[in-house]
């Protein structure tokens, strides 16, 4: 099947309660999105899988939830005040702004006006605001443009209280904010987004090895945990001139979006840039005592920085499937008709199972289905649905990626079994209620 367009994915996401533009009743806030009831379940599942993979599997990686507001000097030390900017040009005719690297020299992308751009000027991507009632320079604070700096500033504290030895890592998931010049492509580039980052502190002599290690580990995660096929994700190594101000080496992990290959995660060797800058700006010695070498060392940092929203967009794109139905029946469509199904990895699907009474006007079937639904709800996210023909109910669940549909029929009333229909194979099996049903729904 050809990859769906971003519009098709965005339409489905909106129509089925995953993602909607922020403040839509006012015409929408530019480049900000809300995750609806199904979106938040999916996003939470995604973050949980990342967290488990990055913290529980390793003895030497711990978690953090740092504040969004930090001391303003942090952003001077990190280089963001000085260097976190895009070169921006403005069309003199329609006054739209573009990143200089995006525009062809001749024509405006928005209005087509020829040779009407201003000279490029620097535009800082950090949102600035003021703490407290006055707006003097002393009260300036920033919405963090990346979660990493919270980790660096707390690293000496965490190392000490958790008695960590090199190498060790600190993981964090949190919001970041960037005043992007050209936000767009649905949730691909927004001004408020979430990052899932792990900063790994290593001996300088071992940095190259750990950089390679984390590249492979993160690629493994995309393949084995999220199920992205080999031909949909790749590395994009940065050439020297592409490197950010802090990086000694960098490899993007890119996903093949309908728009093109685009970055979903960056793996960076940041050298000692961050800790040496924070040591300088704070006046504190941020080196650690290395138990093995018995020497003080200023660790280097290997960073893995994924965008939760971009990975989620990749997941939706990957899952969006339109297929032709071979046989009428469990597909909820007639033979030859199209079926739209979101083939999300089962452990990520926002709803684990839907429970239906076969007939919605039969009190006994309804009561039994509601009872089963209540019981299953203690273990999974469940939807109960008795509205409309059973085929329509299947279709609604297919579109949100529900792996199992549990139907209560007349046989259920006699022997306490139900049919369980599989989203992908469309097979229907009879399963006994209770532990057997729970085990069946747990299978991923
Ligand atoms: P880009 O080149 O696309 O602007 P970046 O190289 O600036 O991205 P990083 O600073 O490496 O991105 O941030 C790490 C991750 O955070 C990115 O791989 C991406 O998934 C996510 N990210 C960065 N900016 C945005 C944004 N404006 N909206 C959504 N996600 C973002």
């Amino acid at each position: 099947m050809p990859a769906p367009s971003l519009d098709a994915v965005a339409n489905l996401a909106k129509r089925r309660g995953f993602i909607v533009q922020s403040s839509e009743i006012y015409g929408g806030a530019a480049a900000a999105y809300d995750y609806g009831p199904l979106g938040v379940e999916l996003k939470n599942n995604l973050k949980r899988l990342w967290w488990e993979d990055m913290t529980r599997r390793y003895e030497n990686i711990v978690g953090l939830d740092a504040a969004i507001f930090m001391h303003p000097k942090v952003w001077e030390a990190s280089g963001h005040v000085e260097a976190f900017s895009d070169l921006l040009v403005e069309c003199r005719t329609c006054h739209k702004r573009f990143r200089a690297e995006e525009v062809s020299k001749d024509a405006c992308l928005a209005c087509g006006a020829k040779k009407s751009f201003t000279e490029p000027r620097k535009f800082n991507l950090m949102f600035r605001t003021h703490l407290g009632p006055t707006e003097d320079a002393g009260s300036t604070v920033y919405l963090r443009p990346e979660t990493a700096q919270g980790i660096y500033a707390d690293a000496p504290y965490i190392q000490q209280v958790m008695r960590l030895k090199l190498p060790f890592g600190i993981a964090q998931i949190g919001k970041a904010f960037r005043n992007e010049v050209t936000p767009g492509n649905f949730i691909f580039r927004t001004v408020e987004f979430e990052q899932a980052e792990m900063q790994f502190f290593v001996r300088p002599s071992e940095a190259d090895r750990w950089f390679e290690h984390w590249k492979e580990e993160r690629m493994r995660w995309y393949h084995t945990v999220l199920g992205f096929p080999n031909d949909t994700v790749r590395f994009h190594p940065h050439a020297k001139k592409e490197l950010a101000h802090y990086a000694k080496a960098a490899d993007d992990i890119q996903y093949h979006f309908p728009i093109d290959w685009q970055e979903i995660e960056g793996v960076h060797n940041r050298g000692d840039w961050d800790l040496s800058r924070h040591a300088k700006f704070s006046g504190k010695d941020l080196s650690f005592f290395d138990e093995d070498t018995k020497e003080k060392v200023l660790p280097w940092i290997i960073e893995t920085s994924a965008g939760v929203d971009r990975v989620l967009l990749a997941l939706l794109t990957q899952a969006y499937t339109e297929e032709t139905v071979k046989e009428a029946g469990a597909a909820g469509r007639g033979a030859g008709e199209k079926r739209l199904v979101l083939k999300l990895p089962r452990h990520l699907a926002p709803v684990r199972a839907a429970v239906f009474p076969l007939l919605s006007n039969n009190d006994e079937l309804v009561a039994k289905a509601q009872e089963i639904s209540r019981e299953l709800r203690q273990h999974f996210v469940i939807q109960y649905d008795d509205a409309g023909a059973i085929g329509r109910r299947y279709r609604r669940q297919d579109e949100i990626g529900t792996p199992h549909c549990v139907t209560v029929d007349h046989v259920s009333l006699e022997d306490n079994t139900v049919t369980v229909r599989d989203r992908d194979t469309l097979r229907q099996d009879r399963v006994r209620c209770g532990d057997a049903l729970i085990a069946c729904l747990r299978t991923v």
Side-chain angles (χ1 to χ4, degrees):
M1 189 193 93
S5 67
L6 270 191
D7 279 350
V9 174
N11 284 339
L12 178 70
K14 180 174 176 193
R15 187 160 58 79
R16 300 314 315 272
F18 284 85
I19 303 167
V20 66
Q21 198 167 21
S22 161
S23 359
E24 232 201 4
I25 57 168
Y26 290 98
Y33 287 87
D34 297 340
Y35 286 80
L38 298 189
V40 71
E41 293 289 349
L42 175 60
K43 199 182 196 194
N44 283 343
N45 288 343
L46 177 60
K47 290 192 284 188
R48 180 177 44 78
L49 288 182
W50 183 89
W51 189 259
E52 283 171 3
D53 206 83
M54 294 306 267
T55 63
R56 296 222 191 125
R57 292 179 71 243
Y58 304 95
E59 217 177 314
N60 56 347
I61 302 184
V62 296
L64 173 70
D65 184 11
I68 287 171
F69 287 120
M70 299 187 72
H71 194 288
K73 271 212 162 161
V74 165
W75 305 109
E76 286 174 40
S78 68
H80 283 81
V81 171
E82 196 185 333
F84 192 56
S85 49
D86 273 352
L87 279 180
L88 178 126
V89 294
E90 185 172 318
C91 170
R92 289 195 180 91
T93 311
C94 69
H95 301 290
K96 274 234 152 99
R97 290 170 177 184
F98 303 92
R99 281 195 283 173
E101 66 198 44
E102 280 181 340
V103 298
S104 79
K105 286 202 171 52
D106 294 339
C108 170
L109 296 170
C111 71
K114 295 255 166 45
K115 293 193 191 308
S116 66
F117 292 115
T118 57
E119 284 303 306
R121 66 187 167 85
K122 272 191 164 183
F123 173 75
N124 196 292
L125 301 183
M126 279 198 295
F127 284 105
R128 208 168 7 161
T129 184
H130 296 275
L131 206 61
T134 57
E135 293 205 359
D136 55 44
S139 67
T140 299
V141 287
Y142 301 93
L143 291 185
R144 68 180 177 199
E146 62 178 29
T147 53
Q149 298 302 326
I151 296 182
Y152 305 146
D154 282 350
Y157 160 77
I158 293 173
Q159 186 268 334
Q160 207 188 4
V161 293
M162 301 307 286
R163 296 184 296 120
L164 296 169
K165 287 203 263 174
L166 289 174
F168 66 86
I170 303 176
Q172 170 166 236
I173 299 177
K175 289 253 176 167
F177 305 84
R178 295 182 188 178
N179 197 2
E180 296 280 2
V181 178
T182 45
N185 287 323
F186 189 35
I187 54 168
F188 179 81
R189 190 181 298 286
T190 50
V191 292
E192 172 180 345
F193 55 96
E194 237 173 325
Q195 291 185 313
E197 296 197 315
M198 196 282 294
Q199 309 291 332
F200 202 66
F201 298 76
V202 302
R203 293 184 192 99
S205 60
E206 296 175 354
D208 289 345
R209 181 164 73 76
W210 283 115
F211 178 61
E212 292 306 320
H213 171 88
W214 283 112
K215 273 172 54 185
E216 297 312 317
E217 274 291 87
R218 294 304 302 142
M219 195 51 107
R220 171 195 59 76
W221 190 72
Y222 287 108
H223 287 316
T224 61
V225 180
L226 300 195
F228 287 162
N230 281 345
D231 59 352
T232 59
V233 260
R234 71 175 188 193
F235 287 116
H236 166 74
H238 282 209
K240 271 249 153 2
K241 64 176 174 25
E242 269 183 281
L243 287 176
H245 60 274
Y246 53 77
K248 290 218 176 307
D251 255 88
D252 292 342
I253 296 179
Q254 295 183 327
Y255 177 80
H256 200 185
F257 284 102
I259 37 176
D260 202 356
W261 284 97
Q262 293 285 349
E263 171 179 346
I264 50 176
E265 169 158 353
V267 183
H268 307 129
N269 175 352
R270 301 180 68 120
D272 67 357
W273 163 266
D274 304 280
L275 289 184
S276 63
R277 294 276 293 190
H278 285 305
K280 185 171 157 203
F281 279 70
S282 67
K284 305 256 162 48
D285 178 8
L286 300 183
S287 52
F288 299 79
F289 184 73
D290 188 336
E291 300 272 358
D292 292 338
T293 60
K294 305 286 179 220
E295 283 173 3
K296 279 191 109 181
V297 54
L298 192 65
W300 282 24
I301 293 169
I302 309 300
E303 151 180 89
T304 70
S305 174
V308 176
D309 313 82
R310 278 194 197 173
V311 174
L312 192 139
L313 181 59
L315 266 173
L316 287 177
T317 310
Q318 185 64 38
Y320 188 105
T321 312
E322 263 180 346
E323 56 189 25
T324 306
V325 171
K326 291 203 188 81
E327 276 176 48
R333 290 266 176 198
E337 283 187 282
K338 287 260 185 289
R339 173 173 94 113
L340 176 55
V341 48
L342 208 51
K343 292 194 174 174
L344 288 167
R346 287 153 189 261
H347 52 314
L348 278 158
V351 176
R352 180 54 68 89
V355 181
F356 312 147
L358 182 63
L359 303 169
S360 49
N361 55 4
N362 179 310
D363 291 348
E364 269 186 292
L365 292 181
V366 167
K368 177 83 179 160
Q370 283 178 341
E371 178 198 316
I372 292 172
S373 164
R374 262 195 309 276
E375 193 185 315
L376 292 177
R377 224 174 270 283
Q378 295 174 35
H379 306 271
F380 311 103
V381 178
I382 297 291
Q383 275 194 357
Y384 171 84
D385 188 2
D386 61 14
I390 197 97
R392 288 187 65 175
R393 291 184 247 162
Y394 281 148
R395 273 176 298 186
R396 281 199 284 267
Q397 296 303 325
D398 283 346
E399 287 190 358
I400 62 172
T402 306
H404 309 280
C405 290
V406 173
T407 303
V408 174
D409 56 18
H410 292 99
V411 180
S412 313
L413 301 177
E414 285 160 25
D415 68 0
N416 203 28
T417 62
V418 286
T419 62
V420 179
R421 175 255 203 193
D422 182 282
R423 178 192 74 193
D424 300 334
T425 63
L426 300 179
R427 245 183 69 173
Q428 287 177 300
D429 291 319
R430 272 216 101 80
V431 180
R432 185 157 300 281
C433 293
D435 290 348
L437 181 57
I438 292 166
C440 168
L441 302 189
R442 199 156 266 149
T443 321
V444 287

